[in-house]
Amino acid sequence: MFDVVYDGQTCTAFAVRYQGAVHAYLNRCSHVAMEMDWRAGHFFDLTGHYLVCASHGALFRPGDGVCIGGPGRGPLIKIQLQERDGWVFWQSQYRLRPVAF
Ligand code: FES
């Protein structure tokens, strides 16, 4: 997990690797603006194919953040990433920063 500035606020974001690609989202559910991890840093459901919100169980596709079940009200907010030479960077307004996960 890492911090990003979103809408003027410092928020937690998370990155996951799914089917070989890395994806990152704001750690904020689209149902209610609550952090989603059911245990610190754990976002996948038991199948390993969907991101699940710990509060009310909304399910999201890890590749694009689209809600596919439960009370979510739209997709997760995606964080733009770049992966180069085994390193993953998220794009801040001013520079690339490495992501550790
Ligand atoms: S806050 Fe995530 S499903 Fe309700």
Side-chain angles (χ1 to χ4, degrees):
M1 291 195 293
F2 54 100
D3 290 337
V4 296
V5 175
Y6 177 76
D7 207 17
Q9 293 183 318
T10 300
C11 305
T12 302
F14 64 96
V16 295
R17 185 175 293 279
Y18 182 72
Q19 296 183 337
V22 180
H23 307 277
Y25 300 98
L26 209 62
N27 189 6
R28 180 184 293 180
C29 186
S30 65
H31 176 220
V32 177
M34 299 176 66
E35 293 193 347
M36 296 189 15
D37 34 340
W38 51 271
R39 196 173 75 202
H42 291 259
F43 296 92
F44 280 101
D45 70 351
L46 293 177
T47 72
H49 293 292
Y50 300 103
L51 305 173
V52 62
C53 178
S55 295
H56 310 111
L59 294 172
F60 302 88
R61 293 192 307 224
D64 59 10
V66 168
C67 183
I68 54 95
R73 298 179 178 161
L76 300 177
I77 297 168
K78 195 164 182 74
I79 307 295
Q80 295 304 313
L81 294 178
Q82 294 180 23
E83 187 169 16
R84 289 182 291 185
D85 301 323
W87 289 87
V88 177
F89 299 86
W90 59 271
Q91 180 74 51
S92 75
Q93 186 174 3
Y94 302 107
R95 61 183 174 168
L96 293 175
R97 297 175 185 222
V99 174
F101 72 101

